[in-house]
Amino acid sequence: MQLSLGLPNFGPWAGPDPHTLLDLAAAADTAGVDRLVVSDHVLLGRHIDAYRWGRFPTPPDGPWLEPLACLTAFAAVTSRVRLSTGILIAPLRPATVLAKTVATLDVLSGGRVDLGVGVGWQREEYDATGVDFSRRGDLLDQTIAACRALWTTLPASYDGEGIGFRDVYCSPLPAQARLPVWFSGTLTDRNRVARRRARRRMDPHHGRVDR
């Protein structure tokens, strides 16, 4: 059994004195918590009523600290607790930049990163970033596949729809031999992609939780 603790990197906790989050991270590390989890919004549109999983925790103008930056700060004040996103909206970030940022965090933390990823829910966030909301599931798959290529070999190559590179070097590689990636998805009859990802994660022949 493992104990994960979600630290609120949004709302009042991200206000005038967000250093309180660092104190909480350090205390959780000392207390034996297994994993610290932070969440993600790059930006928000006005229509937070589209959130389907209860009451949204902030108004549209509420502050949200960038999760990977938060985890980097947590790494500096902790020594053993694992550092996780739950979730990071991966399609909103260029794969090469995401791969470099996560690998850097894994190296600085001594191999303590668990990357939780998903597609998010708000169309305005995609529109403002210039990313096709209708392709978000496919873009998630391709982004993580491209990251995995960059985390695995030097040089790396990947050929996907809209994401591609050949014989490039993204160094350093993560400290972990295979950095864990966790996919999030709502399991409904219409969401076949999410179910496929879940089956892939549970298949012991696929090893870790991702592709």
Side-chain angles (χ1 to χ4, degrees):
M1 182 176 179
Q2 293 190 337
L3 176 62
S4 296
L5 176 64
L7 292 186
N9 56 315
F10 51 81
W13 297 90
D17 186 19
H19 289 87
T20 302
L21 286 173
L22 302 185
D23 296 336
L24 289 173
D29 188 55
T30 301
V33 170
D34 296 294
R35 181 178 291 103
L36 299 177
V37 184
V38 292
S39 56
D40 183 31
H41 275 291
V42 175
L43 49 81
L44 284 168
R46 292 182 181 274
H47 302 294
I48 58 172
D49 55 324
Y51 186 69
R52 296 185 294 140
W53 299 275
R55 182 178 179 182
F56 194 70
T58 70
D61 61 349
W64 284 74
L65 298 175
E66 203 285 325
L68 296 177
C70 285
L71 294 182
T72 302
F74 296 167
V77 298
T78 61
S79 61
R80 45 155 298 279
V81 69
R82 293 195 66 81
L83 308 168
S84 178
T85 53
I87 59 161
L88 185 85
I89 307 174
L92 297 180
R93 294 162 169 84
T96 53
V97 176
L98 179 59
K100 170 65 79 173
T101 305
V102 172
T104 298
L105 173 57
D106 201 53
V107 169
L108 291 176
S109 67
R112 291 189 280 143
V113 174
D114 294 326
L115 185 66
V117 297
V119 297
W121 55 273
Q122 196 180 64
R123 179 181 293 273
E124 292 95 324
E125 198 165 16
Y126 278 78
D127 292 344
T129 312
V131 179
D132 187 350
F133 184 74
S134 68
R135 293 190 59 231
R136 59 195 183 280
D138 179 57
L139 289 171
L140 174 62
D141 285 346
Q142 292 200 45
T143 296
I144 297 305
C147 284
R148 184 62 75 196
L150 292 165
W151 292 334
T152 303
T153 59
L154 294 173
S157 298
Y158 179 77
D159 184 15
E161 186 178 347
I163 302 175
F165 45 81
R166 183 169 298 280
D167 294 334
V168 297
Y169 295 81
C170 187
S171 182
L173 299 177
Q176 299 178 88
R178 188 166 178 83
L179 191 148
V181 178
W182 303 79
F183 286 88
S184 171
T186 301
L187 298 182
T188 67
D189 289 340
R190 292 181 299 176
N191 196 335
R192 296 179 181 179
V193 174
R195 291 205 306 273
R196 175 173 54 81
R197 291 192 190 116
R199 287 195 299 269
R200 184 182 294 140
R201 291 199 301 273
M202 292 184 289
D203 185 345
H205 298 294
H206 284 89
R208 278 287 187 182
V209 295
D210 66 309
R211 65 187 298 162

